[in-house]
């Protein structure tokens, strides 16, 4: 199967909607993806994600299914990865698959992390892929494509879970710009066994083609510079 994660467009976080720039980004995204063969579309309940999805849904002639657990990974108002590199890099647990979430700095989010992972596995099971250890048992092969319109933080949590990588390193080490596309496919090399493999992470070619600068929303400091080729 193919799983596609799409981050919402440039946001107005205060009003939980898209800025005018975000609306342009969503339109460019919809234009790029209008020819995609999509089976199911899932959307975070946040307004900024639903607004981003709307023009693509119209092109695909699909209805959205709201996934409450795909909301941004902010727990009790705290951004789980909001602490300085000089601090988080000193803790070896942050570079270990599942130990990072149990550390004192992030333990408050442990139950939410487990919930997201569990709900993601329940969704994948509905397509025939059952989590067993660090891989997936293929109960029934699927050629379907599922799209989830969501957020940076929860996308990194999902990548962490699907690829068995430490989330804290991903949250700090990767940046996916608004409307960035991340594509994962199941690679089924052994009979009845699958592992997810990323085809692309944070693809924003539609913005480049449309002459729309990449938004720095999601960076703690505004260091993004447009690269022209």
């Amino acid at each position: 199967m193919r799983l596609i994660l799409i981050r919402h467009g440039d946001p107005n976080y205060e009003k939980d909607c898209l800025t005018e720039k975000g609306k342009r980004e969503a339109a460019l995204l919809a234009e790029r993806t209008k020819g995609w063969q999509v089976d199911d579309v899932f959307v975070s309940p946040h307004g900024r994600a639903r607004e981003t999805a709307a023009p693509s849904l119209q092109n695909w002639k699909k209805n959205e299914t709201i996934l409450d657990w795909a909301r941004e990974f902010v727990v009790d108002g705290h951004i789980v990865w909001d602490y300085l590199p000089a601090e988080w890099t000193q803790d070896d647990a942050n570079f270990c698959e599942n130990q990072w979430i149990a550390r004192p700095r992030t333990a408050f989010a442990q139950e939410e992390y487990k919930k997201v992972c569990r709900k993601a596995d329940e969704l994948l099971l509905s397509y025939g892929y059952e989590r067993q250890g660090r891989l997936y048992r293929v109960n029934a092969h699927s050629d379907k494509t599922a799209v989830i319109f969501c957020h940076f933080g929860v996308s990194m949590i999902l990548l962490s879970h699907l690829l068995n990588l430490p989330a804290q390193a991903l949250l700090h080490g990767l940046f996916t710009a608004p409307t960035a596309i991340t594509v994962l496919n199941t690679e089924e090399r052994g009979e009845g066994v699958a592992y997810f493999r990323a085809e692309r992470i944070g693809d924003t070619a539609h913005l480049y083609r449309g002459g729309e600068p990449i938004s720095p929303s999601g960076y703690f400091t505004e260091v993004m510079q447009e690269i022209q080729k």
Side-chain angles (χ1 to χ4, degrees):
M1 75 169 293
R2 172 169 287 185
L3 181 64
I4 301 176
L5 308 177
I6 300 178
R7 189 182 170 199
H8 61 75
D10 187 63
N12 179 327
Y13 285 117
E14 184 178 351
K15 296 182 179 180
D16 188 24
C17 64
L18 296 182
T19 63
E20 290 304 312
K21 173 174 173 51
K23 293 175 184 177
R24 293 194 301 271
E25 292 172 347
L28 290 169
L29 172 71
E31 179 63 25
R32 176 183 178 180
T33 64
K34 65 182 180 182
W36 284 10
Q37 298 302 307
V38 170
D39 295 289
D40 302 304
V41 184
F42 303 96
V43 184
S44 154
H46 289 305
R48 54 194 184 273
R50 298 188 70 179
E51 277 192 54
T52 302
S56 292
L57 286 164
Q58 185 174 11
N59 283 347
W60 296 330
K61 295 180 172 55
K62 293 284 184 180
N63 295 319
E64 65 182 15
T65 297
I66 300 297
L67 293 181
D68 184 69
W69 58 266
R71 65 178 59 247
E72 183 54 291
F73 197 74
V74 175
V75 182
D76 296 330
H78 298 288
I79 300 174
V80 176
W81 60 101
D82 187 9
Y83 60 116
L84 298 174
E87 180 184 354
W88 77 266
T89 57
Q90 299 306 306
D91 191 339
D92 289 345
N94 284 324
F95 295 90
C96 297
E97 182 183 337
N98 289 317
Q99 293 181 29
W100 69 276
I101 194 65
R103 307 304 294 164
R105 191 69 166 74
T106 49
F108 70 93
Q110 196 163 186
E111 290 307 310
E112 185 65 20
Y113 171 73
K114 291 178 181 178
K115 174 186 173 182
V116 169
C117 295
R118 183 178 71 255
K119 290 293 187 179
D121 285 341
E122 288 174 4
L123 178 65
L124 294 172
L125 183 59
S126 72
Y127 290 94
Y129 295 85
E130 182 179 3
R131 181 84 177 197
Q132 291 188 352
R134 291 188 174 91
L135 49 76
Y136 288 85
R137 177 65 56 185
V138 184
N139 295 331
H141 171 78
S142 175
D143 290 319
K144 286 187 174 182
T145 295
V147 179
I148 304 178
F149 286 85
C150 53
H151 310 265
F152 170 73
V154 75
S155 293
M156 294 303 105
I157 298 298
L158 290 171
L159 285 180
S160 164
H161 182 59
L162 296 175
L163 305 181
N164 302 294
L165 298 171
Q168 202 64 261
L170 296 177
L171 287 160
H172 284 273
L174 294 181
F175 173 73
T176 56
T179 68
I181 298 167
T182 295
V183 179
L184 301 107
N185 300 297
T186 52
E187 191 165 51
E188 302 175 29
R189 298 183 65 189
E191 185 176 355
V193 177
Y195 194 88
F196 278 92
R197 194 167 191 180
E199 175 186 315
R200 69 193 77 171
I201 298 176
D203 182 351
T204 54
H206 52 287
L207 300 182
Y208 176 75
R209 294 190 192 119
E212 186 68 38
I214 292 172
S215 168
S217 178
Y219 262 109
F220 288 115
T221 56
E222 292 192 12
V223 296
M224 179 69 77
Q225 294 183 14
E226 185 76 7
I227 298 177
Q228 301 290 344
K229 295 184 180 180

